[in-house]
Amino acid sequence: MRLRRLLIGLTLVSFVAIACRPSGGTPTSTPASIVPTQVATEEATPVPTAVVTVTPGRIVLKPPDLRVRAANGEQTATLGPFFWVLDSGFAGETTAPGLVLPSEQPLAVKVGEELHFTFGEDRPPQSVKLAVYPQEGNYDKIAPDPDAPKGFVLKTDPALTAEPTQHGAAFDWTVPDLASGAYFVQVEVEWPQHPKNPRPDKTPRAVYLFWVQITS
């Protein structure tokens, strides 16, 4: 009886070795009947295997939010075109013909008022460039679709440009002496190269849009 079990065991081992061995030819499937299920039930009691279901976390592949604080309130910018790299090495890039408005109403600010901008993530940028465009002449549908919303579509030169003073992952900007009216404030940000960037020819960057109502 022991000799018979040994022979059966050796036969099973040879079947497993054939199934796992790499082959240079066309792979063939092993018929299910080749494994004698009766031997398994006679020789050993199967050990229960715990099944663990892993739910992957939600990956947000986008630059950090940018928020501005004024005396009259706050506003979170609309995120426009960007190239971004996560610490895991994943990267993503988007484009946009136009940007939707960041809020239902423009943020009221005054000439000479200092505005404070902060990022939602403590990753200090390498450079920050700001451009102010009048709403008139740059407000249109952001896409050809008849149902597309209206927003900022660049059509004119900026009323002015500036490079705000940075403080780590934040920066300040003083509202210049512009005529009263609604303006789009576009902020272009570039971050230092990421060590895990799969596209070393590109640097992490993003465009943000604010909407303000300037008064004297």
Side-chain angles (χ1 to χ4, degrees), residues 85-135:
V85 183
L86 297 178
D87 289 338
S88 61
F90 286 104
E93 185 173 20
T94 65
T95 59
L99 301 177
V100 297
L101 302 180
S103 57
E104 294 183 359
Q105 299 292 331
L107 178 64
V109 299
K110 292 184 177 182
V111 171
E113 178 182 353
E114 186 175 58
L115 306 183
H116 306 281
F117 299 79
T118 55
F119 290 97
E121 181 180 331
D122 188 19
R123 190 184 292 190
Q126 180 171 282
S127 67
V128 176
K129 295 180 180 179
L130 186 148
V132 181
Y133 296 87
Q135 178 178 314

Side-chain angles (χ1 to χ4, degrees), residues 129-147:
K129 295 180 180 179
L130 186 148
V132 181
Y133 296 87
Q135 178 178 314
E136 185 176 355
N138 296 290
Y139 182 66
D140 203 349
K141 287 188 175 182
I142 64 173
D145 190 326
D147 295 328

Side-chain angles (χ1 to χ4, degrees), residues 39-81:
V39 174
T41 56
E42 290 181 358
E43 295 300 321
T45 302
V47 178
T49 302
V51 178
V52 180
T53 303
V54 178
T55 303
R58 181 168 174 252
I59 299 176
V60 180
L61 183 50
K62 71 177 186 67
D65 291 336
L66 180 59
R67 194 172 186 83
V68 62
R69 186 175 75 254
N72 201 44
E74 298 183 350
Q75 186 181 89
T76 299
T78 295
L79 176 61

